[in-house]
Amino acid sequence: RKYHPDNYANNPLADLAQEKMKQIKDSGFLGVKIHPDYQDTFIDDDGYVRILSAARELDLIVATHSGADAGYRGMPVRCTPERVKKIIGKVGHEKFVLAHYGANEMPNEVFDELCGENVYFDTSFGFSQMPKFFAQKILDTHGADKILFGTDTPWHTAKMELTLLNSLQISAEDMDKITHLNAKKLLGLK
């Protein structure tokens, strides 16, 4: 089947975002994954505003790659913390998940722009790319309630991510939140 943007609900060029997202919801899915670099669109563009707005209305999770992508060196970073903050201001979706500890290779920007915002950060391949003290600073400021355990297999395994998490100063209660309780809440599991 030939590629056409309207064939993919999570493509920011889709004119039928609301209808496509409803199909996703009706099919029993809990959310979508987007990748601004792969989709050649900045996160704060109107297409993503439509997708996040539809997802918010339908109570769907939106997970996105955030920050630099090794496969796109020399290209503009399409999902920066500054741009994420803009789309949060436009949409305000409470089930928005930013991969790579807020933004891969951009800890200063994550701290300045996103800590304290109503978004989740996942741990996948995130703080292996920053000094440990910065990972701790982001965790302490953003809060364990908004951090989700994630991996970026095959580049980072669950064991590698747990080793990194265990190197931080995290209480047992907060570790439970990060490793599973936050995900259960986000997914609506009992």
Side-chain angles (χ1 to χ4, degrees), residues 5-20:
D6 288 341
N7 292 335
Y8 300 91
N10 64 339
N11 188 297
L13 303 177
D15 291 328
L16 306 171
Q18 182 71 30
E19 179 183 325
K20 300 285 185 175

Side-chain angles (χ1 to χ4, degrees), residues 2 5 19 27 37 45 50 60 87 91-92 111 179:
K2 189 172 179 176
E19 179 183 325
S27 296
D37 293 315
D45 284 354
R50 288 194 306 270
L60 290 169
I87 197 166
V91 179
F111 185 79
T179 58

Side-chain angles (χ1 to χ4, degrees), residues 92-118:
H93 185 35
E94 293 183 4
K95 292 187 173 183
F96 193 25
V97 180
L98 306 174
H100 315 307
Y101 219 66
N104 191 43
E105 299 181 9
M106 301 179 129
N108 288 311
E109 294 89 340
V110 169
F111 185 79
D112 292 342
E113 301 286 341
L114 298 175
C115 280
E117 293 289 334
N118 194 14

Side-chain angles (χ1 to χ4, degrees), residues 85 88-89 112-121 142 146:
K85 190 166 185 172
I88 292 168
D112 292 342
E113 301 286 341
L114 298 175
C115 280
E117 293 289 334
N118 194 14
V119 293
Y120 288 92
F121 300 161
H142 194 58
K146 290 294 189 175

Side-chain angles (χ1 to χ4, degrees), residues 76-170:
V77 176
R78 298 192 181 278
C79 189
T80 64
E82 180 182 359
R83 288 182 179 275
V84 168
K85 190 166 185 172
K86 287 179 187 176
I87 197 166
I88 292 168
K90 292 177 183 178
V91 179
H93 185 35
E94 293 183 4
K95 292 187 173 183
F96 193 25
V97 180
L98 306 174
H100 315 307
Y101 219 66
N104 191 43
E105 299 181 9
M106 301 179 129
N108 288 311
E109 294 89 340
V110 169
F111 185 79
D112 292 342
E113 301 286 341
L114 298 175
C115 280
E117 293 289 334
N118 194 14
V119 293
Y120 288 92
F121 300 161
D122 84 18
T123 63
S124 64
F125 205 78
F127 66 87
S128 65
Q129 306 289 42
M130 69 179 78
K132 182 178 162 181
F133 80 89
F134 227 114
Q136 187 73 53
K137 184 176 175 179
I138 289 172
L139 171 66
D140 293 344
T141 305
H142 194 58
D145 290 337
K146 290 294 189 175
I147 306 286
L148 300 166
F149 179 76
T151 68
D152 205 2
T153 302
W155 299 277
H156 260 220
T157 64
K159 182 178 179 180
M160 292 166 77
E161 293 296 345
L162 282 172
T163 299
L164 288 169
L165 272 176
N166 285 322
S167 75
L168 300 177
Q169 295 176 354
I170 304 174

